[in-house]
Amino acid sequence: MESLSEKAQVLQKKIQDAISHAHTLEELEQVRLAYLTRQSELALLMAQLKTMTPEQKKEFGPRFNALRAQAEELYESKKKQLQQTQYQAHERKKEFFDVTAYQPRLRHGSLHPYTHVIEQIENVFISMGYCVVDGPELDDEYTNFEALNVPAHHPARDMQDTLWLELPKKLMRTQTSTLQIRSMQQQKPPLAILACGRAYRYEATDATHDYVFMQTEGLLVDKNISMANLLATTKTFLAAIFDTKRIELRIRPSYFPFVEPGVEIDMQCIFCSNGCSVCKQSRWIEIVGAGLVHPNVLKACNVDPSVYTGFAFGFGLTRLTMLRYGINDIRLLHSPDLDFLKQF
Ligand code: FA5
């Protein structure tokens, strides 16, 4: 039985070595299959107890049981250790997540068509000596209407459906003409200002009308300003934006309470030759209202109408942009449609 004892010692050493040399859970599983299952070397050794005499059982039973208990304990503690190592390695991988490894296809941005047109307009007017100004979109009734010669109950208030706020006499400006008033209140003539900004109207939308759109306001006040100055300025401006040799303009008398006389200028529709839904079958698209500043407006801003005269214009910047780039629906200008925006 001496050799059985040696056998047990050798087996114990083999199991200890095998467990300590297992570096992964997969390797440890191979050790379990080899030494700790029912067909393993250890099980075969223990099976020999059945054929032993009671004295031998007394001697070898506890030794073999201790050998098995020690082997199982070693196995369990090694398993825990390897599981922890594996978990830590997994967490470390997450910790060092390489954010630069994922590189989505780069998309280059481009300027919005409004930005292109505003830049062009401002450059033309700055070169003619105008100052670019800005003002609030949320404004008051006095600046948007009364100072512009549109008192309360004047029928001209119906020309521009207004978005009123739940604040006394406050509204979203219906026109950038408010900048005429604000500029004359801040600066004495001679003055020449240009403003590009949003206007708001309580209107149903269609291909050429929106409830928020852009206007470009211009105002020149000096001595001896006439309609000739207004028309020359308009032509210079339009020539810089469009090829006026190809595009026809039409000037018609019109009414705006803040100018006298008043005109409207239409541009030939570039989308058709016989009428379409954009020009409402008329072949013309209205782009600007203008005229000589009404003496009442000058007086409201403490400018003496017997000394100074001036002209003012309000371009539909949105419509100019549509004509400039051949955009046939105004609503596209506010859309986030990348296929549309990528073209500019
Ligand atoms: C005005 O707003 C005047 N303030 C213009 C003006 C300024 C006249 C200075 C005289 C002196 P009107 O409502 O016509 O006028 O608008 C001017 C331009 O804005 C129009 O010619 C048109 O091109 C554009 N426009 C008007 N309503 C809309 C709308 N709902 N959607 C898009 N563009 C519009």
Side-chain angles (χ1 to χ4, degrees), residues 243-258:
D243 179 359
T244 44
K245 281 189 201 104
R246 279 200 307 119
I247 289 178
E248 241 180 276
L249 295 177
R250 181 173 86 167
I251 300 172
R252 315 177 260 115
S254 186
Y255 172 70
F256 297 97
F258 33 93

Side-chain angles (χ1 to χ4, degrees), residues 175 177 201 203 209-210 213 215 256 286-287 289 314 316 319:
Q175 50 190 347
S177 297
R201 295 197 192 165
E203 272 189 34
H209 290 84
D210 213 341
F213 56 97
Q215 285 190 335
F256 297 97
E286 175 205 318
I287 51 163
R319 297 223 183 126

Side-chain angles (χ1 to χ4, degrees), residues 6 11 13 46 51 64 135 140 181 196 223 247 249 264 298 301 324 326 332:
E6 277 173 13
L11 184 59
K13 177 88 175 57
M46 295 204 60
T51 57
F64 288 180
D140 54 55
I181 305 303
C196 295
K223 290 176 182 158
I247 289 178
L249 295 177
E264 273 182 317
L298 295 174
C301 301
R324 174 73 181 74
L332 283 169

Side-chain angles (χ1 to χ4, degrees), residues 159-160 174-177 180 201 203-204 208-215 217-218 256 258-259 263-265 286-291 312-319 330:
M159 288 164 73
Q160 299 176 356
T174 58
Q175 50 190 347
T176 46
S177 297
Q180 291 182 32
R201 295 197 192 165
E203 272 189 34
T208 52
H209 290 84
D210 213 341
Y211 55 92
V212 187
F213 56 97
M214 300 282 285
Q215 285 190 335
E217 194 78 13
F256 297 97
F258 33 93
V259 287
V263 293
E264 273 182 317
I265 301 175
E286 175 205 318
I287 51 163
V288 60
F313 58 79
F315 275 97
L317 172 57
T318 301
R319 297 223 183 126
I330 198 167

